[in-house]
Amino acid sequence: MDFKKFRKRSPWILHYNTGSCNGCDIEILACLAPKYDVERFGILNRGNPKQSDILLVTGPVTKRAKERLLRLYFEMPEPKVVVAVGACACSGGVFRHMYNVENGVDKVIPVDVYVPGCAARPEAIIDGIVRALEILKEKGKEVELPHWCSAQVKPPVNRVKLLDRCLEELHGRR
Amino acid sequence: MVVDEIKVPLREVRRTIKEFYDPKEWHFITVNGVDLGGKVELKWFFTKYGEREYFKVVTSEASYDDEIPTITYLIPSAWISEWELADLFGLNVEGAKRGLFLDPESPQAPLRRG
Amino acid sequence: MGKRITVPFGSQHVALPEPVRFVFQTENEKIVDVEVDVGYVHRGIEKACATKFKYMQVGYVVARVCGLCAISHTLGYVTALERLMGVEVPKRALYLRLLVSELDRIHSHLLAMGHTAEVAGYENLFMQTFRHRELVMEMLELLTGNRVQFDFACPGGVNRDLTPEVEKVLREKLKVLEEKALWLRDVYENDFSLALRWKGTGVVTEEMAKEMNVVGPPARAAGLKTDVRAEFDYLPFKEVGYRMVVLKGGSIYERNLVRALEVLNSIEMCWNILDGLPEGDIKVPVKGLPEGEMFVRIEAPRGELFYYIRGSKKLILDRVRIRVPTFANIPVMKELFVGMDYADVPATVISFDPCLSCTAR
Ligand code: SF4
């Protein structure tokens, strides 16, 4: 069956905080609450990576959150879209070049949509999510890897092995 | 603002605090370190419930490899401040575990100067 | 006895908006041991404040410690700096700071209350609370220009004045908000099933609060009379009708009720501020270089916030130390969990309203 048509109508989101100041997190929450209400796009916020299509990441990615972020990313099924919410998720923002951060989400996992602002306004977040929905419609089932990872993806894909390989390289980069 | 500052050598710290600390009256705020280059100045901050703008500060100095006495026997909630001190200054605090905030790959003892 | 089972809770969890990780050792339903990891969001702000940013900029950096109580962090820093440099802040600026800090407290408390309701399975009430919270956000936006990170206070005063047009809208919204807040208090106080779920769960006794140095609403819910607004004169709280809310009991129910009552008190203060706003400048220039050390305590929405700064006649400060309320409340949480049912854990964690980005900085 062709799920493509339906996927766009009921995307579930997963939200992960990788060291943000909570400013963008509460704006994401405000989006889910009555005034802005992204649930009208069929979106539900479920904290389960295995059932989610859109990953909303806030924060500049701290050293300790890095590995968790990668794990979450690999647990999500394809197709998936990553939205970096807030100035600090896009580039590091105020936290750029502090000793414990990685300067942005795209240093760790591939990002599809960037939402700027400190804090990102709910309108901007909704816009980002709508863009993400369009990208989600286009995306296929291929596995995307972080740009720094040199592993080759050959079908049949073994996720566990891929994740191990990526983690190895991640720690090798130290 | 009234600040009552007591300067003591490091090994006297616990005794000094024990003398006045009573959980019913005193509120322990935190222990703070300031790097002075080669040594660290430590301050234990206390305040009294119900009093306006009053602080009691116990000050001491420690070199990088001195063992800092813990006060968790007197104030059980102090462990988290002490662990932080051990982590961010790389000090040797009695009974503290490393790794509250820092990861193996982050720079060690970031709040030291130089 | 049954075997011990290890249950991880966090860092990414359905019921948890914050990246904190607890590892529970359970025996049947009872928790026998707990470990906590708070370091997921450690960024190193204290170091950056003492190496990268000039003392006039630090206020905006520390606001990014936490988005929920952004004004409290800036206030803590600027108050310390002004006291250190002997700057006299104009009265109007103090009143405006007070207004924003109280509005900030309202929105933070409503957020916490909403979350507890959600964890109790009351999604409807969560949505209602958040809906009314939007009113506060609109007011903050009108007043400061941004919804969350408003950077309102600056060394020497505030960055934006209150115009008569804005004041008019604020009054209208405040009126609606007051009605809604009264209704919310009523629900949180009298709803039968909520009371059934929350009363007597996660109890912090007064002795425990004193021994573990608990701060903020959890302490006041336990009957401990501690509020920095009454103990430290950083803003003119006395003049605008501040009352300390203290309850007995110390369970989740009382913690939420304290929040609801404080919201009402804050709204009352906002009315008084708008009525008695003095005329005058909103900012004085700050000149010179900071020298010496200074520490202040501030009442953030979650409790006592402590700032320590130290300078030595340089543009960059030597040390900025931030002790946040959640940092002080983590030990009591850890203590509390031992002997508790696992089913009560999410509600208890949320009722402390932990702010991990504050804790780890
Ligand atoms: S972009 Fe700004 S408001 Fe958003 S998480 Fe980062 S620092 Fe906070």
Side-chain angles (χ1 to χ4, degrees):
Chain A
M1 216 165 99
D2 185 17
F3 282 114
K4 252 193 175 163
K5 262 206 325 254
F6 309 109
R7 202 172 278 133
K8 200 188 153 197
R9 300 268 170 223
S10 64
W12 284 14
I13 61 175
L14 174 70
H15 162 215
Y16 190 56
N17 172 348
T18 61
S20 83
C21 77
N22 276 353
C24 289
D25 302 82
I26 51 176
E27 292 297 61
I28 290 176
L29 267 177
C31 283
L32 293 162
K35 190 177 168 196
Y36 294 99
D37 195 17
V38 287
E39 293 190 0
R40 66 196 140 120
F41 301 111
I43 289 172
L44 275 181
N45 182 19
R46 289 280 177 272
N48 188 345
K50 301 220 157 130
Q51 297 167 347
S52 309
D53 309 287
I54 301 180
L55 175 60
L56 294 179
V57 191
T58 56
V61 190
T62 59
K63 298 244 148 96
R64 196 174 293 186
K66 189 164 67 177
E67 191 187 319
R68 311 299 135 108
L69 181 63
L70 199 65
R71 276 177 194 278
L72 279 179
Y73 182 75
F74 269 96
E75 276 189 17
M76 284 172 64
E78 273 77 29
K80 59 193 164 197
V81 187
V82 180
V83 184
V85 179
C88 60
C90 296
S91 66
V94 253
F95 309 123
R96 199 171 171 87
H97 300 313
M98 285 189 189
Y99 63 81
N100 216 26
V101 303
E102 290 281 326
N103 301 339
V105 177
D106 52 5
K107 301 279 183 311
V108 181
I109 56 173
V111 178
D112 298 282
V113 184
Y114 296 85
V115 179
C118 179
R121 293 185 58 85
E123 290 92 340
I125 296 176
I126 293 176
D127 195 35
I129 290 177
V130 172
R131 293 272 161 96
L133 289 182
E134 276 157 24
I135 296 177
L136 187 71
K137 206 173 85 186
E138 301 301 320
K139 268 201 181 175
K141 278 285 194 191
E142 309 83 54
V143 179
E144 259 182 282
L145 284 182
H147 64 86
W148 43 265
C149 182
S150 58
Q152 299 290 324
V153 194
K154 283 195 263 20
V157 183
N158 186 336
R159 275 163 183 281
V160 182
K161 276 215 181 117
L162 262 182
L163 176 62
D164 283 349
R165 176 77 199 270
C166 277
L167 284 177
E168 228 170 69
E169 267 187 51
L170 191 71
H171 293 309
R173 278 199 306 161
R174 245 175 228 176
Chain B
M1 200 164 86
V2 189
V3 182
D4 202 350
E5 190 161 352
I6 320 173
K7 273 211 171 73
V8 288
L10 197 56
R11 60 199 147 72
E12 303 269 296
V13 166
R14 201 185 301 157
R15 222 201 58 226
T16 319
I17 294 175
K18 194 173 176 184
E19 261 165 27
F20 71 86
Y21 184 78
D22 174 9
K24 288 199 183 57
E25 286 174 35
W26 290 94
H27 173 68
F28 169 68
I29 301 175
T30 191
V31 42
N32 177 35
V34 181
D35 192 297
L36 302 175
K39 56 188 179 188
V40 180
E41 187 193 63
L42 297 170
K43 288 190 175 198
W44 283 261
F45 290 93
F46 295 87
T47 182
K48 238 182 188 167
Y49 291 121
E51 227 160 286
R52 294 190 82 82
E53 306 233 351
Y54 177 75
F55 288 98
K56 193 169 193 122
V57 187
V58 179
T59 314
S60 185
E61 270 180 15
S63 69
Y64 286 154
D65 13 71
D66 278 350
E67 185 176 65
I68 319 256
T70 170
I71 53 167
T72 43
Y73 307 112
L74 307 166
I75 308 161
S77 63
W79 63 266
I80 190 159
S81 319
E82 290 179 356
W83 287 25
E84 188 195 10
L85 206 63
D87 217 16
L88 297 186
F89 280 95
L91 293 178
N92 175 12
V93 183
E94 220 180 316
K97 261 199 249 162
R98 291 290 173 87
L100 182 67
F101 291 144
L102 296 182
D103 255 23
E105 55 180 297
S106 358
Q108 296 304 305
L111 286 184
R112 284 190 194 175
R113 299 183 161 263
Chain C
M1 278 312 282
K3 264 204 327 251
R4 282 196 175 195
I5 298 172
T6 310
V7 186
F9 181 71
S11 66
Q12 205 275 334
H13 190 274
V14 185
L16 201 65
E18 303 271 344
V20 60
R21 184 174 145 98
F22 294 98
V23 180
F24 297 110
Q25 303 286 338
T26 60
E27 241 163 45
N28 297 335
E29 278 288 290
K30 287 264 175 292
I31 291 166
V32 288
D33 198 10
V34 52
E35 258 174 55
V36 44
D37 179 354
V38 295
Y40 279 95
V41 287
H42 179 64
R43 290 149 287 180
I45 291 180
E46 281 180 5
K47 170 86 175 175
C49 286
T51 48
K52 265 173 72 179
F53 297 99
K54 302 201 181 76
Y55 75 92
M56 286 302 265
Q57 299 172 324
V58 170
Y60 305 117
V61 181
V62 292
R64 267 77 182 171
V65 170
C66 174
L68 284 165
C69 38
I71 183 78
S72 314
H73 281 278
T74 326
L75 258 182
Y77 175 72
V78 297
T79 313
L81 191 71
E82 280 153 5
R83 285 194 176 199
L84 185 59
M85 301 178 63
V87 179
E88 186 84 26
V89 187
K91 198 99 202 202
R92 187 176 173 90
L94 286 182
Y95 267 71
L96 285 174
R97 279 180 189 179
L98 185 49
L99 180 60
V100 175
S101 99
E102 286 315 306
L103 285 177
D104 192 53
R105 193 181 316 277
I106 298 173
H107 104 75
S108 173
H109 277 355
L110 287 182
L111 184 103
M113 285 153 65
H115 264 307
T116 358
E118 193 196 16
V119 172
Y122 229 138
E123 189 145 356
N124 204 334
L125 185 56
F126 163 75
M127 289 291 181
Q128 287 286 349
T129 316
F130 265 63
R131 184 160 147 211
H132 303 326
R133 181 176 158 268
E134 278 303 323
L135 274 170
V136 193
M137 303 304 281
E138 282 161 18
M139 281 157 72
L140 279 172
E141 185 176 359
L142 275 173
L143 194 57
T144 65
N146 202 357
R147 281 167 55 94
V148 176
Q149 287 292 3
F150 14 81
D151 295 334
F152 190 62
C154 65
V158 294
N159 278 331
R160 216 174 141 132
D161 204 356
L162 177 67
T163 56
E165 300 87 63
V166 171
E167 193 186 328
K168 200 164 139 260
V169 187
L170 283 191
R171 278 175 191 275
E172 280 162 21
K173 295 211 187 240
L174 210 52
K175 205 174 209 164
V176 186
L177 183 70
E178 192 164 17
E179 253 167 54
K180 304 293 183 199
L182 280 169
W183 177 80
L184 278 177
R185 201 231 29 214
D186 188 38
V187 175
Y188 280 88
E189 188 173 2
N190 298 328
D191 190 280
F192 179 69
S193 38
L194 281 183
L196 209 59
R197 176 77 183 87
W198 286 344
K199 259 191 194 159
T201 311
V203 177
V204 181
T205 57
E206 192 177 341
E207 286 73 49
M208 204 166 156
K210 279 185 175 155
E211 200 182 320
M212 306 297 285
N213 294 305
V214 184
V215 297
R220 290 196 283 280
L224 179 58
K225 287 196 193 61
T226 171
D227 192 328
V228 184
R229 286 179 284 176
E231 288 167 7
F232 202 87
D233 304 304
Y234 64 103
L235 288 175
F237 282 106
K238 276 270 168 59
E239 299 164 20
V240 292
Y242 160 73
R243 274 178 282 111
M244 196 195 287
V245 181
V246 182
L247 295 180
K248 291 249 171 296
S251 64
I252 302 178
Y253 173 79
E254 277 86 14
R255 289 202 270 281
N256 266 339
L257 201 54
V258 164
R259 292 203 177 99
L261 293 172
E262 280 190 4
V263 165
L264 288 177
N265 184 216
S266 291
I267 292 175
E268 191 189 316
M269 278 198 257
C270 288
W271 278 123
N272 290 342
I273 296 164
L274 285 180
D275 285 341
L277 196 65
E279 292 295 323
D281 285 341
I282 56 160
K283 201 170 179 177
V284 288
V286 176
K287 288 198 207 83
L289 294 167
E291 190 185 13
E293 61 170 17
M294 182 56 68
F295 31 92
V296 294
R297 297 162 74 207
I298 299 284
E299 180 78 10
R302 286 162 183 72
E304 172 202 46
L305 174 67
F306 175 81
Y307 262 78
Y308 172 93
I309 64 169
R310 181 179 183 130
S312 53
K313 275 212 168 290
K314 273 187 276 184
L315 266 183
I316 292 173
L317 294 168
D318 283 353
R319 178 86 167 101
V320 176
R321 156 80 200 210
I322 312 164
R323 206 295 319 260
V324 296
T326 313
F327 194 69
N329 279 344
I330 294 264
V332 76
M333 268 198 241
K334 204 178 152 191
E335 197 85 342
L336 200 62
F337 288 143
V338 178
M340 193 191 239
D341 275 353
Y342 181 73
D344 292 338
V345 165
T348 313
V349 175
I350 302 290
S351 77
F352 273 92
D353 196 7
C355 175
L356 265 297
S357 51
C358 275
T359 312
R361 301 180 301 273

